[in-house]
Amino acid sequence: MKILVAGGAGYIGSVCVEQLVERGHDVVVVDNLSRGHRQAVHPDAWLEIGDLSDVAFLQRVFSATKFDAVMHFCAASLVGESVSDPLPYYGNNLTNGFNLVRTMLDHGVKHFVFSSTAALFGEPRSVPIDESAIKDPTNPYGRTKLFFEGFLNDCDAAYGLKSICLRYFNAAGASEKFGEDHDPETHLIPIILQVAAGQREKVMIFGDDYATPDGTCVRDYIHVLDLAEAHILALDYLRGENISDQFNLGNGKGYSVLEVVAAVESVTDREILIQMAPRRRGDPAVLVAASEKAREILSWNPTRGSLKQIITSAWQWMDNHRAGYQG
Ligand code: UDP
């Protein structure tokens, strides 16, 4: 298949591109490289550097290749930043997403895989969270993703655009070649690993007064390769069944921030200095997925579920890329 991957130079996108290429698909990556890295694009994929706000650029890319499907990973995706500076969230996640979908429709491309998020649920009424749970985001990031899911439903009803929305819980870990390299880094596991590697003095714990067993936030960490697998299955499902749907993707097991710190200490055999800090705005206390629907309908079978395995893969990637993709 010919697949356009928007955001294929970013963390999750790069691993999905790797998996698509390894399965023999022709991949064109569209990325503005604002947060992604040229070196993160698999050498057998074609990279078009440009921005989704540039409709003429998108028209050129879609005119040059007749795509079978589009995967859309581009997003501003930091919970705290979305609260303090929501404008780029609405611009990137809504306006630019509209441009991409409108251009697809102009060119008769009708299959779309969308990177959605657990953040659209907000503070869950019950855990684990299945697809029918109330969606009441606690931050602008989650709100933009929820709005876009609704937009995709409308595009299905009106234009027959079939989409699969994959709601990631906390993506983590690395493949052998592709991993997480953000600047600045804000995500928990890479930050703790930076402390283990001596690149950072300590990790701040954002809140220890949540209604959780140890007071710190609980998240469901899912290996990026298991997420990539879900994208491949979603594509097959779209092509085979031609039905739109939404799936929650996680392991169904939550770990507190302090448990993640302890797991990193065990994997790396190094002590991690922590410091308690105020809550980060927009953070729900607990996000844990019920992923039975993805297992049943997509035949998704995540195989790298242990936190130790996830952290080990990220640690190995960091060891091989001491300065990230620049190293
Ligand atoms: N967190 C933390 N210190 C950090 C980074 C994150 O305590 O330096 C917490 C954060 O408040 C959240 C959890 O770790 O409860 C996971 O945060 P992350 O940013 O990795 O992912 P998110 O849940 O926002 O998608």
Side-chain angles (χ1 to χ4, degrees), residues 79 170 186-189 191 203-206 217 219 221 257 280 283-284:
V79 167
N170 284 62
T186 64
H187 292 104
L188 183 64
I189 289 179
I191 282 183
V203 54
M204 311 300 282
I205 309 290
F206 297 145
C217 286
R219 294 288 181 273
Y221 295 88
V257 174
R280 190 174 66 177
D283 264 346

Side-chain angles (χ1 to χ4, degrees), residues 151-298:
F151 165 67
L152 291 174
N153 277 336
D154 291 340
C155 288
D156 185 353
Y159 317 118
L161 174 82
K162 301 298 174 189
S163 64
I164 299 289
C165 298
L166 298 176
R167 298 169 183 153
Y168 313 152
F169 280 60
N170 284 62
S175 72
E176 205 186 311
K177 298 203 179 85
F178 301 102
E180 198 163 5
D181 177 9
H182 301 115
D183 186 19
E185 187 54 76
T186 64
H187 292 104
L188 183 64
I189 289 179
I191 282 183
I192 308 174
L193 288 174
Q194 286 175 357
V195 178
Q199 297 170 4
R200 187 187 281 263
E201 187 202 350
K202 61 191 171 194
V203 54
M204 311 300 282
I205 309 290
F206 297 145
D208 61 352
D209 57 351
Y210 286 96
T212 60
D214 66 17
T216 66
C217 286
V218 170
R219 294 288 181 273
D220 181 345
Y221 295 88
I222 176 84
H223 199 297
V224 67
L225 274 169
D226 284 330
L227 281 186
E229 189 73 39
H231 287 76
I232 308 282
L233 294 167
L235 202 57
D236 291 348
Y237 183 76
L238 270 179
R239 304 295 296 174
E241 306 295 327
N242 202 36
I243 297 173
S244 296
D245 213 335
Q246 301 83 33
F247 299 95
N248 294 356
L249 301 180
N251 281 307
K253 182 158 173 37
Y255 293 93
S256 73
V257 174
L258 291 176
E259 284 174 323
V260 177
V261 171
V264 170
E265 287 185 323
S266 154
V267 166
T268 62
D269 202 20
R270 302 191 187 172
E271 207 173 316
I272 305 295
L273 184 60
I274 62 170
Q275 183 178 324
M276 293 306 167
R279 289 181 176 198
R280 190 174 66 177
R281 285 202 291 165
D283 264 346
V286 179
L287 289 172
V288 176
S291 292
E292 280 70 23
K293 184 177 169 188
R295 289 171 185 269
E296 278 162 28
I297 296 182
L298 299 179

Side-chain angles (χ1 to χ4, degrees), residues 57-133:
F57 162 73
L58 284 176
Q59 287 290 352
R60 276 199 306 280
V61 172
F62 277 86
S63 298
T65 305
K66 174 80 187 119
F67 293 107
D68 297 300
V70 171
M71 290 188 175
H72 180 33
F73 294 90
C74 304
S77 62
L78 305 178
V79 167
E81 183 185 70
S82 80
V83 177
S84 57
D85 188 17
L87 275 177
Y89 283 74
Y90 285 86
N92 283 326
N93 300 359
L94 296 182
T95 315
N96 290 354
F98 295 154
N99 290 343
L100 180 62
V101 168
R102 198 174 47 202
T103 314
M104 281 177 68
L105 292 171
D106 284 347
H107 290 264
V109 185
K110 296 280 180 80
H111 286 155
F112 190 68
V113 181
F114 177 57
S115 300
S116 189
T117 174
L120 57 71
F121 291 106
E123 200 66 68
R125 311 303 196 263
S126 66
V127 177
I129 305 167
D130 71 16
E131 286 75 4
S132 67

